[in-house]
Amino acid sequence: MRRTAARPSAGAALADTGTAVAAGPAGHGGPAGEPGGSATAPPAAGAGTPGASRTAPDVLRTSTDVLRTASDVLRTEFPFHLPRGYVDEQGTVHRDGVMRLSTARDELIPLRDLRVQENPAYLSVVLLGRVITRLGTLTSVHDGVVENMFASDLAFLQDFYRQINAEGHTRAAVRCPHCSEPFEVELGGSRLGES
């Protein structure tokens, strides 16, 4: 029985050739020394490595498609878990939700709202109603839902909003009160008393 070698995948060909390409601003790899370029030049075609029949541009094009880093993707939605949960008219408790990043429009439009003009503290309620995209099984989330949340959930969402829009993530640096060792905690939501 005759055995044939399996055709190497694009990732395997890159690993075998030693080509390292970082994705550039638009995900394009350029020549070595340029932003998004490779650290080493690809070997010449026919250098005796798997995938050697590929030309250098093919290797670069394939490598940019394969080697994506987490920093290339902007995360715009963040899941959370409310400490108490929103209770709807039927008595159903909704705890798990998703909040998206705020836009300038999200922060400007509530300033025209009469409720906000009369009471500036209402700004966070209107703003959260715009950026929470999902909460439990509710079909829509709006400022009416937010204003009927428990105070602890509102405070949690205000902190969560500030964290994702200022830092771009939901982790906070803290220090252990006992040993003073620094560590990070996830603010994306947990049950009361958990970190």
Side-chain angles (χ1 to χ4, degrees):
M1 178 182 268
R2 181 177 172 197
R3 292 186 181 195
T4 58
R7 182 176 178 181
S9 67
L14 290 175
D16 291 340
T17 62
T19 303
V21 177
H28 301 291
E34 291 182 13
S38 65
T40 60
T49 58
S53 62
R54 293 185 179 162
T55 62
D58 289 337
V59 172
L60 288 176
R61 184 172 31 258
T62 303
S63 63
T64 21
D65 294 337
V66 173
L67 297 177
R68 291 277 178 189
T69 62
S71 63
D72 291 339
V73 179
L74 176 63
R75 186 172 171 200
T76 59
E77 292 191 326
F78 299 84
F80 62 83
H81 185 84
L82 293 174
R84 298 216 185 273
Y86 169 74
V87 182
D88 65 16
E89 294 88 22
Q90 290 78 32
T92 305
V93 179
H94 305 274
R95 286 193 177 98
D96 295 317
V98 175
M99 184 183 294
R100 66 174 172 78
L101 289 177
S102 177
T103 64
R105 183 180 180 92
D106 290 324
E107 295 195 355
L108 293 172
I109 286 180
L111 297 175
R112 293 189 226 155
D113 192 303
L114 291 176
R115 298 168 295 182
V116 173
Q117 292 174 359
E118 291 174 7
N119 182 3
Y122 204 76
L123 174 64
S124 65
V125 172
V126 177
L127 185 56
L128 289 171
R130 293 182 59 84
V131 297
I132 298 172
T133 60
R134 185 181 64 77
L135 182 60
T137 58
L138 296 177
T139 55
S140 70
V141 181
H142 47 81
D143 52 10
V145 170
V146 176
E147 70 183 353
N148 287 310
M149 289 183 173
F150 294 111
S152 59
D153 289 334
L154 180 61
F156 168 83
L157 289 170
Q158 289 169 333
D159 288 341
F160 190 72
Y161 174 89
R162 276 190 291 273
Q163 187 70 29
I164 68 171
N165 284 286
E167 304 292 329
H169 58 79
T170 58
R171 294 179 309 279
V174 295
R175 188 171 296 277
C176 176
H178 302 291
C179 67
S180 298
E181 183 71 26
F183 63 97
E184 288 185 338
V185 294
E186 178 67 36
L187 297 179
S190 58
R191 304 223 184 255
L192 289 173
E194 294 179 358
S195 59

